[in-house]
Every structure is written in structure tokens, then in C-alpha cells.
Amino acid sequence: MAVSQFNSEALEQCRTTVSSQASQFGAIGDGFPNQCGNPSIFGKLGSSGGLSSAVDRFTALVGEEFAAAESLMGKVERALDAVQQSVRQAEDAAVHAMTPAS
């Protein structure tokens, strides 16, 4: 019978790395302002309002993308945790199956 081998340390390192990356994506996304503000910050040009609106839309989209990345990385972390738990449960079951009954 073939025995599967899992590197639990590598799985844990992967899970930890993904977790820290998820929070970094979230922090970057949180740093984007919801609105650029007053169009006058772009000067007295006739299209300052349009430029301000475009910047507002851009920052909103970028913030959404970073939030989506954070969410996806969180799902990856939870999936890795589930794999670790499954491996532990399988190993425990195998140990109990091989232990003679008293």
C-alpha cells in the first residue's frame, strides 16, 4: 500500500504567507480614497470636473479590485487550512486503525 507524504510545514508556511498577503492587499485597497474631492484641485481648466470624476471612478475600481484580491486570498488561506485539517484527521485515523485494541 502506498503511503502519501505531506509536508505539513510547507503547507503551514504557504497558508501563513497567503494570509499576510491577503491583509496587505486589503491595506493597499483601504488606502485609496473614496472620492478625489473638489474638481478645483485640478486647476481652473474647463474639464477639471470630468477629470475629477474619472479619478474618482478609477480609485473606486482599484479599491474594489484590491478588496476582491483580499477576499480571494482569504479563500485560499481557508482552503489550505482545510487541507491541513484533512491531512491531520487522515493521519489520526490511520494511527487509530493501526493501534491494537485493548
Side-chain angles (χ1 to χ4, degrees):
M1 173 164 98
V3 176
S4 296
Q5 292 185 351
F6 296 93
N7 187 336
S8 59
E9 187 176 310
L11 281 173
E12 178 59 24
Q13 183 178 12
C14 223
R15 190 196 63 75
T16 303
T17 300
V18 166
S19 177
S20 71
Q21 293 298 314
S23 62
Q24 288 179 14
F25 279 118
I28 292 170
D30 292 344
F32 280 87
N34 289 338
Q35 288 191 333
C36 185
N38 191 333
S40 67
I41 65 170
F42 293 106
K44 297 182 183 197
L45 299 173
S47 54
S48 293
L51 181 57
S52 177
S53 293
V55 170
D56 286 346
R57 286 191 304 274
F58 173 76
T59 57
L61 289 172
V62 170
E64 289 172 17
E65 290 298 317
F66 277 111
E70 179 183 27
S71 176
L72 181 60
M73 296 294 277
K75 289 177 184 177
V76 171
E77 177 194 5
R78 289 186 293 281
L80 286 169
D81 185 54
V83 167
Q84 286 180 293
Q85 289 179 23
S86 294
V87 168
R88 277 189 225 111
Q89 290 170 353
E91 287 175 345
D92 289 345
V95 167
H96 291 305
M98 297 176 135
T99 305
S102 320

